[in-house]
Amino acid sequence: MYVIVVYDVDVKRVGKVMKFLRTYLNWIQNSVFEGELTEGQFYKMKNGLSKIIKGKEDSVIIFRMPDDKFVEKTIMGIEKNPTDNLI
Amino acid sequence: MYVIVVYDVDVKRVGKVMKFLRTYLNWIQNSVFEGELTEGQFYKMKNGLSKIIKGKEDSVIIFRMPDDKFVEKTIMGIEKNPTDNLI
């Protein structure tokens, strides 16, 4: 599966969220990660995130697509983190 | 088609980008928009964005999926802009 994670969390937790997500996905822009995950990795990532964020203050949105062939990605302007092009 | 737009633009242009994108998509989180677009709307949006941002300073990433049925959305924590649930 292909996953995009966007987050808006308290500045106290941004570093921790970023460090955690880096172990699963690629950082592509401020507060945005993307990448391929297995079912197991997906649930472990979600579970780990739920332990870091504060549900009443922070916001995380996870978009999950069955496969990256369903996702066309267009970059306008600068590419903040040129990963080898997954798509 | 289903579209997600994430952007990281100079503070001078954030308001303009936001105002522009609001005419096409739903704001769901800081610097994140989503929604359904026709092919025509998609190209008009891309064209309009290219006139607002500065290619050498700003970063916009557009994810396009053929249909929202390929997108599963999970919200953790607070939902910043509870739109009627598109998915």
Side-chain angles (χ1 to χ4, degrees):
Chain A
M1 76 181 76
Y2 189 79
V3 173
I4 300 164
V5 179
V6 297
Y7 57 90
D8 186 0
V9 302
D10 188 287
V11 67
K12 295 193 292 285
R13 289 182 286 281
V14 165
K16 221 174 163 189
V17 168
M18 209 169 166
K19 205 172 153 209
F20 174 76
L21 285 177
R22 272 221 164 99
T23 60
Y24 289 92
L25 299 167
N26 305 306
W27 180 93
I28 53 170
Q29 200 183 80
N30 283 351
S31 305
V32 183
F33 280 78
E34 72 170 357
E36 292 277 342
L37 291 180
T38 64
E39 198 82 14
Q41 289 169 326
F42 178 75
Y43 287 104
K44 263 178 81 185
M45 180 195 74
K46 255 176 74 174
N47 198 23
L49 270 176
S50 66
K51 291 188 177 116
I52 297 172
I53 69 166
K54 288 228 179 325
K56 292 212 170 74
E57 297 174 34
D58 301 329
S59 170
V60 176
I61 303 174
I62 305 170
F63 296 97
R64 174 160 87 145
M65 283 64 71
D67 193 305
D68 66 5
K69 72 170 187 274
F70 296 111
V71 183
E72 181 194 281
K73 181 174 151 186
T74 306
I75 293 167
M76 300 174 68
I78 49 176
E79 187 168 2
K80 293 250 169 173
N81 182 24
T83 55
D84 42 6
N85 202 326
L86 298 175
I87 305 161
Chain B
M1 78 182 76
Y2 189 78
V3 173
I4 300 164
V5 179
V6 297
Y7 57 90
D8 185 1
V9 302
D10 188 287
V11 68
K12 293 192 294 287
R13 289 182 286 282
V14 165
K16 221 175 164 189
V17 167
M18 209 169 166
K19 206 172 153 212
F20 175 75
L21 285 176
R22 271 221 165 99
T23 61
Y24 288 91
L25 299 167
N26 305 306
W27 180 94
I28 52 170
Q29 200 183 80
N30 283 348
S31 305
V32 183
F33 280 78
E34 72 171 356
E36 292 276 344
L37 291 181
T38 63
E39 198 82 15
Q41 289 169 327
F42 178 75
Y43 287 105
K44 264 179 81 184
M45 180 195 73
K46 255 176 72 174
N47 198 24
L49 269 177
S50 66
K51 291 187 176 118
I52 297 172
I53 68 166
K54 289 233 180 322
K56 292 213 171 76
E57 297 174 34
D58 300 331
S59 170
V60 176
I61 304 174
I62 304 170
F63 297 96
R64 174 162 84 146
M65 282 64 71
D67 192 306
D68 64 8
K69 73 171 185 274
F70 296 110
V71 184
E72 181 193 280
K73 178 174 153 187
T74 305
I75 293 167
M76 300 174 69
I78 47 175
E79 187 168 5
K80 293 249 169 174
N81 181 24
T83 56
D84 42 1
N85 202 326
L86 298 175
I87 306 162

